[in-house]
Amino acid sequence: MVLKEIHKSGNAYTNEEKCNFVKETATELALDAGLSTLANMVLIGKVIKETGLYTMDEIKLGLEKSIPPSKAALFDKNVKAVEIGFNYEG
């Protein structure tokens, strides 16, 4: 899988090796936290941190509004996964 990365300078480039590293790292982080199906949320956390689009409080509010009461147990797991990506320094 090849993704384009956009730097703060606004220049976009493709870097397949870096993308594969991020994908594998997100999966490993999710697995290590017992969140095997939430690597996507780990990636979302990292993207949010890098772009500065939202704060963690805003993400929690968004998840709270989008997860139905019947699936409330998913809230904590999703927040944990996003926080893992948000706090990842690799």
Side-chain angles (χ1 to χ4, degrees):
M1 178 163 101
V2 178
L3 301 174
K4 287 188 178 178
E5 181 173 328
I6 301 175
H7 282 271
K8 293 177 184 175
S9 66
N11 297 325
Y13 70 93
T14 300
N15 185 330
E16 187 171 359
E17 287 180 19
K18 186 170 185 176
C19 292
N20 285 335
F21 171 77
V22 170
K23 177 183 166 193
E24 291 169 8
T25 301
T27 301
E28 289 169 9
L29 291 169
L31 287 171
D32 289 348
L35 305 169
S36 62
T37 60
L38 294 173
N40 60 327
M41 296 303 282
V42 172
L43 284 172
I44 287 171
K46 182 64 173 167
V47 169
I48 289 166
K49 172 73 176 268
E50 294 298 318
T51 61
L53 288 174
Y54 302 102
T55 65
M56 273 308 301
D57 288 337
E58 291 169 324
I59 295 303
K60 288 177 185 177
L61 183 61
L63 287 170
E64 202 171 86
K65 288 183 176 183
S66 63
I67 296 174
S70 62
K71 304 226 183 216
L74 297 176
F75 176 79
D76 290 337
K77 290 180 180 181
N78 278 274
V79 168
K80 183 177 178 183
V82 172
E83 285 176 338
I84 289 168
F86 194 86
N87 295 322
Y88 182 71
E89 294 294 331

